[in-house]
């Protein structure tokens, strides 16, 4: 009977058959969240804005043409150090890893929202079955009271448990409504007929050491912090560059014509090229202070990288332990439900023979419903734990899960704008 009433990917749930109309599985929900989640789309927009820092840095190498009131043309080209472009490129790389990290978080939120709805739906069904059982028990006790077999105390106990069961059902329905609202927020549409959620054990590492090693090397928070170190180190050279000479090359050309025949000339052609080198001698200590500041910030970024690595390692260990513990919890909860079901049947038969009281039956039923609730929670945590471990090693993404949705490739927009010399519209047409 348990396997027809509880589900989360291990057992089957009544009312959530895979063949139901408009049914939706966890992969489909994750694909929708990946496409429509506002937080993730906002992070993508931030990354596209970061991409623009590279063409802005490259603009220093390009001619700048302006029109003066005399309708002349002036071309200016500043020869700037290449470090500013390198800083911008490294910032883009760090931003991509930050985007990947946000994507992992959104997908994990989607898994949590999906499994919470499934668990709360199962819990509501279990509480409804519990209320039906208590109503039947209360009716039987009332009949036995009328026959003089039990006392009013038995009836009061049955009524009290029925009231508690109805309150528990109401609480389960409230939790379901809240989880459905959260699902709509994260996924982008209300839940319909949800199918059983499966774990992703096939993508997980085989040992705790392997999990920590993968997190140390490929978690997006770690790789983003590594790029931040490169940015800070390159910024030192940018600060030092302010102490170097600056070379400016400027060219101009003009032509004028005069129709007055009394003048000795009737036109003038003029062209000039002006080169200028400026070398700083003393700026009051500003450049030196900026260089020292950049070095301290670089030291800070290296320490932050160590901290992020330690956090990733700790998170991977915690996720691994939680995943292993979730397996044990499911097995224990399933055994508890089986035993509680057998106990309830035995107590019920003994009560019919006068060997057990009404409260014994009610207690056995309460034990069973609590065991079912714990199993529902354990099955939910089992699914979430597997996805959490996948996130902890940095592999919770569209490609790994093989979701039926195009993967967002931030480098596409980067290459669209990197060498753009003009144009006010974004590649998307805005």
């Amino acid at each position: 009977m348990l396997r027809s009433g509880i589900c989360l990917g291990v057992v089957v749930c009544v009312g959530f058959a895979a063949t139901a109309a408009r049914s939706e599985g966890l992969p489909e929900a994750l694909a929708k969240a990946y496409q429509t989640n506002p937080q993730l789309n906002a992070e993508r927009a931030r990354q596209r804005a970061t991409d623009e820092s590279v063409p802005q840095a490259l603009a220093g190498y390009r001619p700048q043409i302006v029109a003066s009131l005399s309708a002349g043309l002036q071309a200016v080209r500043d020869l700037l150090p290449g470090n500013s472009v390198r800083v911008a490129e490294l910032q883009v790389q760090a931003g991509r890893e930050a985007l990947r990290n946000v994507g992992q978080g959104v997908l994990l939120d989607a898994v949590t929202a999906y499994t919470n709805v499934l668990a709360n739906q199962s819990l509501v069904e279990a509480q409804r079955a519990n209320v039906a059982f208590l109503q039947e028990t209360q009716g039987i006790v009332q009949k036995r009271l009328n026959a003089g077999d039990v006392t009013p105390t038995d009836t009061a106990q049955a009524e009290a448990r029925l009231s508690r069961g109805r309150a528990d059902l109401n609480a389960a329905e409230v939790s379901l409504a809240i989880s459905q609202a959260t699902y709509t927020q994260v996924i982008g549409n209300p839940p319909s007929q949800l199918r059983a959620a499966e774990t992703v054990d096939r993508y997980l590492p085989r040992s705790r050491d392997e999990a920590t090693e993968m997190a140390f090397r490929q978690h997006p928070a770690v790789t983003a912090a590594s790029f931040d170190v490169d940015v800070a180190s390159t910024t030192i050279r940018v600060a030092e560059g302010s102490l170097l000479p600056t070379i400016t090359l400027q060219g101009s050309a003009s032509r004028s014509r005069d129709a007055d025949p009394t003048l000795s000339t009737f036109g003038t052609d003029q062209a000039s090229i002006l080169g200028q080198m400026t070398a700083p001698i003393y700026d009051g200590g500003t450049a030196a202070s900026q260089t020292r500041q950049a070095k301290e910030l670089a030291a800070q970024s290296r320490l932050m990288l160590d901290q992020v690595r330690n956090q990733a390692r700790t998170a991977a260990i915690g996720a691994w332990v939680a995943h292993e513990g979730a397996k044990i919890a499911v097995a224990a909860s399933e055994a508890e439900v089986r035993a509680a079901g057998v106990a309830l049947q035995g107590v019920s038969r003994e009560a019919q023979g006068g060997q057990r009281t009404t409260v014994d039956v009610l207690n056995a039923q309460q034990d069973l419903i609590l065991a079912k609730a714990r199993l529902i929670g354990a099955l939910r945590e089992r699914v979430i734990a597997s996805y959490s471990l996948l996130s902890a090693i940095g592999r919770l993404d569209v490609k790994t899960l093989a979701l039926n949705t195009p993967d967002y490739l931030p480098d596409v927009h980067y290459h669209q704008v990197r060498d753009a010399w003009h144009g006010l519209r974004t590649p998307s047409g805005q």
Side-chain angles (χ1 to χ4, degrees):
M1 294 179 62
L2 168 65
R3 293 185 178 272
S4 66
I6 302 175
C7 79
L8 273 179
V10 179
V11 289
V12 182
C13 179
V14 171
F16 305 104
T19 58
R22 298 179 56 205
S23 63
E24 183 175 50
L26 181 55
E28 290 84 356
L30 293 178
K32 288 183 181 179
Y34 186 78
Q35 293 170 350
T36 64
N37 185 269
Q39 178 187 359
L40 185 54
N41 285 330
E43 189 67 16
R44 289 166 177 166
R46 182 207 58 77
Q47 179 60 29
R48 291 193 295 269
T50 302
D51 291 344
E52 295 292 349
S53 63
V54 174
Q56 291 170 14
L58 288 171
Y61 293 99
R62 298 167 183 164
Q64 300 177 16
I65 303 175
V66 298
S68 65
L69 293 177
S70 59
L73 295 177
Q74 182 182 33
V76 179
R77 178 173 178 174
D78 296 330
L79 301 181
L80 302 177
N83 287 332
S84 296
V85 176
R86 180 58 179 164
V87 167
E89 291 174 340
L90 291 172
Q91 289 173 337
V92 168
Q93 295 291 336
R96 289 179 183 176
E97 295 305 307
L99 173 60
R100 192 161 68 92
N101 198 29
V102 171
Q104 284 204 147
V106 168
L107 290 178
L108 187 57
D109 288 344
V111 171
T112 303
Y114 188 98
T115 53
N116 281 344
V117 172
L118 274 181
N120 288 327
Q121 286 174 337
S122 299
L123 188 57
V124 166
E125 292 299 320
Q127 293 293 353
R128 285 175 179 168
N130 180 53
V131 169
F133 176 88
L134 294 175
Q135 286 175 334
E136 182 181 358
T137 301
Q138 196 270 341
I140 294 173
V141 172
Q142 184 64 45
K143 291 180 181 179
R144 295 182 66 187
L145 175 64
N146 296 336
D149 294 337
V150 297
T151 66
T153 302
D154 296 287
T155 304
Q157 290 172 334
E159 291 176 351
R161 291 299 178 90
L162 178 57
S163 297
R164 181 196 298 182
R166 287 170 175 165
D168 292 341
L169 174 58
N170 177 71
E173 290 173 340
V174 169
S175 298
L176 175 58
I178 294 174
S179 63
Q180 288 172 335
T182 304
Y183 181 99
T184 302
Q185 174 188 342
V186 176
I187 305 299
N189 59 268
S192 55
Q193 299 283 350
L194 302 186
R195 298 196 296 271
E198 298 181 356
T199 62
V200 287
D201 293 353
R202 59 189 180 279
Y203 303 128
L204 300 180
R206 299 178 180 178
S207 67
R208 186 172 73 173
D209 292 339
E210 184 182 358
T212 55
E213 177 64 22
M214 295 176 70
F216 190 85
R217 288 186 293 101
Q218 63 187 30
H219 194 279
V222 175
T223 52
S226 299
F227 282 119
D228 288 339
V229 171
D230 295 336
V231 169
S233 300
T234 308
T235 303
I236 297 175
R237 294 193 290 272
V238 174
E240 292 173 340
S242 62
L243 299 173
L244 300 176
T246 302
I247 300 176
T248 303
L249 181 65
Q250 181 175 347
S252 63
S254 64
R255 166 174 289 189
S256 63
R257 293 293 182 266
D258 199 325
D260 189 350
T262 62
L263 297 178
S264 58
T265 60
F266 66 92
T268 302
D269 294 332
Q270 183 177 356
S272 66
I273 297 178
L274 177 63
Q276 182 180 4
M277 184 179 73
T278 303
I281 297 177
Y282 181 69
D283 62 353
T286 300
S289 176
Q290 291 174 342
T291 301
R292 295 193 302 270
Q293 182 185 47
K295 290 180 179 179
E296 295 294 346
L297 291 175
Q300 178 196 23
S301 65
R302 285 189 288 269
L303 293 173
M304 290 299 299
L305 174 59
D306 293 337
Q307 179 182 357
V308 171
R309 284 173 173 169
N310 290 331
Q311 291 174 341
R313 183 185 295 110
T314 302
I317 294 174
W320 173 269
V321 173
H323 182 251
E324 294 300 308
K327 297 178 183 178
I328 299 174
V330 168
S333 296
E334 289 178 334
E336 181 187 11
V337 169
R338 286 193 296 269
V342 173
L344 176 59
Q345 293 176 0
V347 170
S348 298
R349 286 193 299 266
E350 293 170 0
Q352 293 173 1
Q355 297 176 328
R356 294 281 185 167
T357 64
T358 301
V359 72
D360 291 331
V361 177
L362 295 174
N363 288 338
Q365 170 63 15
Q366 185 67 18
D367 291 341
L368 177 59
I369 191 62
L370 291 176
K372 286 184 178 181
R374 281 189 286 270
L375 176 57
I376 291 171
L379 293 172
R380 177 191 61 193
E381 294 301 322
R382 174 74 174 85
V383 176
I384 294 177
S386 68
Y387 279 89
S388 297
L389 179 54
L390 191 63
S391 174
I393 63 175
R395 297 190 60 189
L396 182 55
D397 51 43
V398 171
K399 183 178 180 180
T400 300
L401 299 177
L403 299 181
N404 186 24
T405 182
D407 194 1
Y408 181 83
L409 303 175
D411 57 317
V412 173
H413 177 269
Y414 171 78
H415 290 295
Q416 288 175 335
V417 301
R418 187 185 189 280
D419 297 320
W421 285 47
H422 61 85
L424 300 179
R425 289 188 175 275
T426 65
S428 62
Q430 298 181 358

